[in-house]
């Protein structure tokens, strides 16, 4: 009888119970740490998304300013062309 009990404890059943016990212990210890880690990563990711949205909006403002500048430049070029064509008509 003692040999059978010792055999169960030191055999596959003992190894299985030790493995399950270790997994349960690790789950209890690691879950709070994993939760904290994932919360920190989530907040960091949120900050990155906010920064990216700010960058995108700044780029949109820059594109609008560039387009406005091009429009003003084309108006000035048209005025110069009109002036040059007027001068060319007077000369010819």
């Amino acid at each position: 009888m003692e040999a059978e009990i010792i055999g169960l404890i030191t055999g596959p059943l003992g190894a299985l119970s030790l493995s399950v016990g270790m997994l349960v212990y690790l789950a209890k210890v690691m879950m709070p740490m994993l939760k904290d880690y994932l919360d920190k990563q989530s907040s960091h990711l949120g900050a990155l998304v906010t920064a990216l949205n700010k960058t995108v909006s700044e780029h949109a403002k820059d594109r609008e300013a560039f387009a406005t500048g091009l429009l003003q430049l084309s108006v000035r070029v048209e005025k110069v062309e009109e002036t040059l064509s007027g001068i060319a008509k007077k000369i010819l």
Side-chain angles (χ1 to χ4, degrees):
M1 176 82 171
E2 285 183 22
E4 292 174 6
I5 294 173
I6 292 173
L8 287 175
I9 293 172
T10 60
L13 185 61
L16 178 64
S17 63
L18 180 64
S19 299
V20 169
M22 288 173 58
L23 288 175
V24 168
Y25 174 75
L26 285 175
K28 286 183 180 179
V29 171
M30 294 299 288
M31 283 302 176
M33 291 178 10
L34 183 62
K35 183 182 177 292
D36 291 341
Y37 173 75
L38 291 176
D39 287 342
K40 288 178 185 176
Q41 291 299 316
S42 177
S43 65
H44 182 66
L45 185 60
L48 288 175
V49 168
T50 303
L52 180 63
N53 286 337
K54 182 180 176 184
T55 303
V56 168
S57 67
E58 292 295 323
H59 282 257
K61 290 177 186 175
D62 288 344
R63 284 191 298 270
E64 290 174 10
F66 183 72
T68 304
L70 284 179
L71 182 63
Q72 291 174 354
L73 183 63
S74 67
V75 169
R76 290 174 63 189
V77 166
E78 288 175 4
K79 287 180 182 178
V80 169
E81 286 177 351
E82 290 173 4
T83 304
L84 289 177
S85 65
I87 293 172
K89 287 180 184 177
K90 288 180 183 178
I91 292 176
L92 300 175

